[in-house]
Amino acid sequence: MMKENTTSSSSLSSKTFYVENLGCSKNQVDAETIIAALKNAGWEYCDSPDRAELLIVNTCGFIQSAKEESIQTIFDYRQAYPDRKVLAAGCFAQRYNEELLKMIPELDGVFGNRAPAKISGILPGILAGEKPVYMPEADLSAPMRSDFFNFKGSAFVKISEGCNNRCKFCAIPLIKGDLQSRNMEDILEEIRDLLNKGIFEINLVAQDLANFGLDRGKRQLKELLEAISSMKGEFWLRLLYIHPDHFPMEILPLMKADPRILPYFDIPFQHGDRNILAKMGRKGDRETYLNLVKTLRDEFPEGVIRSSIMAGFPGETNKSFAELKRFMKEARLDWAGFFLYSREEGTEAYNYRGSLGTKLSLRKSKGRKSELEELQQVISEEQMDRFVGKELTLIVEEKVGEESLYLSRSSFQAPEVDGLVVLRAEGLEPGHVVRARIIKRNGVDLEAVLLESQVNQV
C-alpha cells in the first residue's frame, strides 16, 4: 500500500472530478467530504461525469447486492469513459483494498473510507499511472463540506465511525472497525456551521447513535442532545439508527422538552422471532421490542417508528417467519425497509450450519421479502391516515415539472427512504419551510395545500 504523497497533481489537462456516491447516508457524508477536500486542493467539481477527468466511485460493501452494484458501476464508468481516470473509494474499497485491483485491473486506484479528507494523497500516484492503493488511518476531525447530495436545507452529520455491537450477520466492523466516537465539540461546531449556512434539517447518523461515547467509557448521546438543544433558532434534529437492545430511554424527556428533536425513531429490529434474533446476536425478542414500541408511542402519540427487517436468515423456519409477521402486525411500524440475508465472509453467520440453520433458497427468501413488503405497505398506508386533516410544517425539496406542485417532507419522513408530501402551491423554492394542511393520502404519500403565504427561506 502507498504512503501519502503530497507532490503536485497537475498532469491532467484539467483538474476536474466527479463523484458517484453509492450506499447509505454515512457514505454520503464521506462523499461530500471528498468533494470539499478536492476543491480545497484546487480541483473543480463537475455535476456530470461527461466533462470530468477523474471519476470517483464511492462504493458500498455492506451486503452482496451492494458489492455487485459497486462493481457494475465501476465497469460502467470504465466502459463509458475509457480515457478517464477511475478511482474506487468507500466501503467496498476499504474492505478489499489491494484485492480489488486484482479483481478489477481496469481501476486506476483504490482509496479507503476512514479518512476521506485525505483523498488528495492518492492523486499523484493515479496521475503517474501507478494504480495506487491508499488506506489512511482514521481521521475523525470535522469534515469540510460545501456541497451536499441532499436537497437544499438538509444535511447528515456523522457522530461516530465503526461499531462494537457485533451482530453475527454484519460486515460493518470488518469495514469500519471498532467504534470511534467523534469529539463532541467538533460535532457541535459542525452543526453550528450548518445552521449558519441555512440548513434546517440536521440528521445525526452513525452505525449506532446509542453507543456514542462508549469507546471513551460512557454513552454520551443524551449530553450531545442537551448541547444541541441549547442552540438557538428553528431546526429539525433527526436521529437515524438506534439499536433496540440498548435504546437510551434517558433521551425521551429531553425530546419531549424540545420539539426540535423529532420523535422519529429509526430502530433496526431485524426480526421478531426470539430464536432467529439470538442467532443474529441480538438480545431482544418480540415481547421486549413490542414493549419498546409501546413506550415510544405512549410518550409520543404523533411520533413515528422506522425499522429494517431481514428475510431469509439461516434457520428461518415457517414458524419463525410467522412470528416475524405477527410482530409486524402488532408493532404497526410506520416505515420499514426490507433486505435479504447476505452471507458475508468474515462474519460469524457465514459458517452457520447444522443446528444453527442453513441458508434458505434465494427464491424462498425473495418470496418472504415480497410478502413482508406487501404487509408493510398496507400498514404504512393505514398509519399515514392519521395525518390527514392535520396542519404540519414541511420542507420543500423540488418542483414537479411545470405544474403548481412541489415534493416536500414533514417531520415524520426522513430523506429519501420514506414517503413524500405533494404540496399544491406556487412561488416556492427548494429549502423553503412552510405550513400546510394535509388533505388526502395517495398510497404512502400525502397531499397538502399551503396555509401561509409567508415562508421561511433556508
Side-chain angles (χ1 to χ4, degrees), residues 90-108:
C91 291
F92 189 54
Q94 176 73 40
R95 184 174 183 184
Y96 293 100
N97 49 78
E98 292 182 340
E99 183 182 347
L100 187 54
L101 268 184
K102 298 176 183 177
M103 294 167 53
I104 313 177
E106 296 88 350
L107 277 169
D108 294 292

Side-chain angles (χ1 to χ4, degrees), residues 106-247:
E106 296 88 350
L107 277 169
D108 294 292
V110 178
F111 177 63
N113 69 348
R114 299 192 181 181
K118 295 183 178 181
I119 182 73
S120 61
I122 197 174
L123 298 183
I126 289 178
L127 301 178
E130 298 170 357
K131 294 186 178 290
V133 175
Y134 182 29
M135 302 284 125
E137 293 297 317
D139 180 2
L140 298 181
S141 59
M144 304 178 294
R145 289 187 287 164
S146 55
D147 296 82
F148 299 93
F149 287 123
N150 276 30
F151 292 102
K152 188 176 180 182
S154 178
F156 292 105
V157 173
K158 185 160 44 174
I159 68 171
S160 67
E161 284 282 16
C163 187
N164 290 349
N165 287 327
R166 297 300 190 269
C167 298
K168 295 179 180 180
F169 58 85
C170 184
I172 291 297
L174 303 174
I175 300 169
K176 295 281 190 175
D178 291 335
L179 173 69
Q180 295 184 75
S181 301
R182 288 179 57 194
N183 178 277
M184 190 179 300
E185 188 50 48
D186 285 348
I187 298 170
L188 297 174
E189 185 59 33
E190 181 182 354
I191 292 174
R192 293 187 197 102
D193 180 62
L194 290 171
L195 294 177
N196 288 336
K197 289 178 178 176
I199 297 297
F200 178 74
E201 178 184 50
I202 302 292
N203 302 282
L204 297 187
V205 294
Q207 303 305 327
D208 181 6
L209 293 177
N211 275 346
F212 172 71
L214 188 61
D215 50 317
R216 296 190 286 258
K218 177 187 176 184
R219 291 188 172 98
Q220 296 177 297
L221 181 61
K222 178 174 179 286
E223 288 83 350
L224 176 62
L225 297 185
E226 287 174 337
I228 298 172
S229 184
S230 69
M231 296 179 184
K232 305 297 182 183
E234 291 299 317
F235 56 85
W236 284 347
L237 184 71
R238 189 185 306 278
L239 311 181
L240 296 178
Y241 201 101
I242 297 179
H243 196 290
D245 289 348
H246 44 250
F247 187 93

